[in-house]
Amino acid sequence: MPAQTLDPSFADLLQGRFVATLGTHNTDGTIHLTAVWYLFDSGSLFVATSSKSRKARNILARPTASLMVDVRRPGAERGVTSTGKAEILTGENSRELNRSIHKRYLSAAAMADPAIEPVFAAFDDVTIRLTPTSWTTWDMAALDTQAFAGRLGSTPGYLLPLD
């Protein structure tokens, strides 16, 4: 259900290391969806990217976006979608944020490898900041309990494994 503030029970989800989905608006009105690494800090979501990427160009032209983070383990599906104002950050602040994002997803060995981290740093030359104005959350375990008396998550074979 939509909410103006994030339900605290979902804040831990945003601290997790998941691949998120970022949605921006294309010029023709369609939605551009892309998988991204992210950082949730001080109520905003940050995504490292290239200034040449479609998502960055879309945000410069139409400064709104949505970002979805979800857990897809059968019986434990839950997620958060944020929608709001999007902007492109540049300069030293962007470089520091991007390094923090890279450190969330790359090992210390990868960060120290001159063939890995510097390439990410050069490619990701800007940061998207999404300042949420609304949140939508869902918890399939709670729905299972309410609607199905817990049978979906507890009955072997009811939920098929994901590929």
Side-chain angles (χ1 to χ4, degrees):
M1 47 184 122
Q4 294 306 91
T5 59
L6 179 62
D7 179 333
S9 67
F10 285 87
D12 66 319
L13 183 69
L14 292 175
Q15 296 303 324
R17 190 172 42 251
F18 299 100
V19 174
T21 303
L22 179 71
T24 60
H25 298 273
N26 290 319
T27 10
D28 65 1
T30 59
I31 303 298
H32 174 65
L33 296 174
T34 186
V36 297
W37 293 347
Y38 71 94
L39 170 69
F40 179 61
D41 186 41
S42 303
S44 291
L45 291 146
F46 299 92
V47 174
T49 193
S50 166
S51 57
K52 294 175 177 56
S53 69
R54 178 178 290 192
K55 57 188 166 284
R57 292 189 323 258
N58 283 350
I59 287 169
L60 285 171
R62 290 161 298 284
T64 60
S66 294
L67 188 130
M68 180 183 75
V69 177
D70 66 324
V71 176
R72 299 177 187 196
R73 287 188 291 275
E77 300 95 343
R78 60 194 292 246
V80 175
T81 298
S82 61
T83 301
K85 176 186 169 199
E87 60 189 305
I88 301 295
L89 305 177
T90 61
E92 186 57 33
N93 186 33
S94 171
R95 283 188 288 283
E96 289 175 21
L97 284 164
N98 290 353
R99 184 162 174 76
S100 294
I101 294 166
H102 297 154
K103 286 173 71 172
R104 278 178 43 82
Y105 291 88
L106 297 170
S107 69
M111 291 296 290
D113 187 330
I116 302 294
E117 198 283 329
V119 175
F120 275 103
F123 180 78
D124 291 340
D125 62 336
V126 298
T127 309
I128 297 167
R129 175 172 44 205
L130 174 62
T131 304
T133 55
S134 69
W135 297 94
T136 302
T137 61
W138 63 94
D139 185 334
M140 292 306 292
L143 176 62
D144 181 24
T145 299
Q146 289 175 337
F148 306 110
R151 287 196 300 266
L152 280 179
S154 64
T155 306
Y158 271 28
L159 292 173
L160 297 174
L162 299 173
D163 294 333

